[in-house]
Amino acid sequence: MTNGTTFPTTGAPRIVISVDAMGGDRGPAAVVAGVVDSATRTPSAAFILHGDQAELAKLVARHDILQGRCEIRHADRVVTMHDKPSQVMRSGSGTSMWSCIDSVKNGEAKAAVSCGNTGALMAVSMIRLRKVPGVNRPAIAVLWPSRNPGGFNVMLDVGADVKADAADLLQFATMGAAYARNGLNLAVPRIGLLNVGTEEHKGHAELKLAHDQIAAAAGVGGYEFIGFVEGNDMPSDRVDVIVTDGFTGNVAIKTGEGTAKLISDFLKIEFKATLLSKLAALFALATLKRLQGRIDPRRVNGGVFLGLNGTVVKSHGGADATGIAAAIGLAIQLAQSGFQDRLAARVASAGRAGQDAIAEGASPDISGIGISS
């Protein structure tokens, strides 16, 4: 371990990731195991672990690969899954989560990763990092398995805030496009606005206003706007980024996760039902393993907080070492791409273009509000 954050170099510049080691359901052992996996995959990565000094020191000492690449910052307290964001905002100083975010705020780390309480993490991140100028509401973006060549689509917001007006949805589109460019290596991401139908006359007035603003800002935002998309487009190859409000997005992804688990459980039951089905499962084992690999949620573990002055990746609270390594890997990728530095300019330019479109009379016709055909 090192004193401070000047890690020994190995020829390539160090990418320092700040990790809240205490927030996950599986404890610090799973977090450290994920850090070890990440250190193996990315030799240029170094880590600041936040949490109980004595416990973390024992775990880190077991892994030679972390020596010289891992600093421990002691934190006396832990934010639990039951803590309210408002409480953490008032008295969160001294927790591993707060310390983790401060390492990004102070410029010691390029990105932060935490498995902790989502609401508390967003609250602490907003307090310590502040919003990018021009951003009204930050958003949480996640990767969703899809038929696209890269295997995933981006969806936002999925729960940072339940509200979003037209200007917010425009900002989500711009930030989602930036994430897709740097996280999925898409030069011109295709943006879709989630609605109850693809026809332009459907949806409420705010969605129609957002439709026009997002369309008007496509050039400066560096994306292609394909218009309204529906829920069945979430896993499709028609779109790369799905934009919606946090309430709808959160319901959508949890419905999808629940459905996927239901199908998985049904398959297990059916393959165990009879001797013949057990034999069929044996013959299909290789195919099932490939399918499991494609839809394994651990591979896409990590929601990114967009719209803040710093990169924060939220790992699932129940993530194991594989999932935590995936979240850290995403943080490393975003840090390497430098997308955070480009985000503010895109948001400002897109906002001006969207407002100009409305000022020029491009506001939508609201005569057909409603979901009926």
Side-chain angles (χ1 to χ4, degrees), residues 298-320:
R298 299 178 303 172
R299 294 176 57 232
V300 292
N301 176 51
V304 181
F305 291 179
L306 300 178
L308 301 173
N309 290 302
T311 301
V312 179
V313 177
K314 168 63 175 73
S315 172
H316 195 285
D320 60 7

Side-chain angles (χ1 to χ4, degrees), residues 248-373:
T248 305
N250 192 269
V251 170
I253 64 163
K254 288 181 178 175
T255 301
E257 289 171 353
T259 302
K261 187 176 186 307
L262 178 67
I263 293 171
S264 175
D265 291 344
F266 280 173
L267 280 173
K268 290 176 183 177
I269 292 170
E270 292 302 321
F271 277 130
K272 294 177 181 178
T274 65
L275 178 60
L276 186 60
S277 62
K278 289 178 181 178
L279 288 172
L282 185 62
F283 284 115
L285 187 60
T287 300
L288 291 172
K289 284 186 175 180
R290 286 196 301 271
L291 175 62
Q292 183 182 37
R294 289 187 65 182
I295 63 174
D296 187 350
R298 299 178 303 172
R299 294 176 57 232
V300 292
N301 176 51
V304 181
F305 291 179
L306 300 178
L308 301 173
N309 290 302
T311 301
V312 179
V313 177
K314 168 63 175 73
S315 172
H316 195 285
D320 60 7
T322 300
I324 292 166
I328 294 173
L330 177 58
I332 291 171
Q333 181 179 353
L334 293 175
Q336 287 176 322
S337 71
F339 97 106
Q340 186 66 40
D341 298 332
R342 307 185 192 110
L343 189 73
R346 290 280 190 182
V347 168
S349 298
R352 288 193 295 270
Q355 290 303 317
D356 288 346
I358 299 306
E360 292 171 6
S363 55
D365 174 15
I366 62 173
S367 59
I369 296 175
I371 65 172
S372 58
S373 299

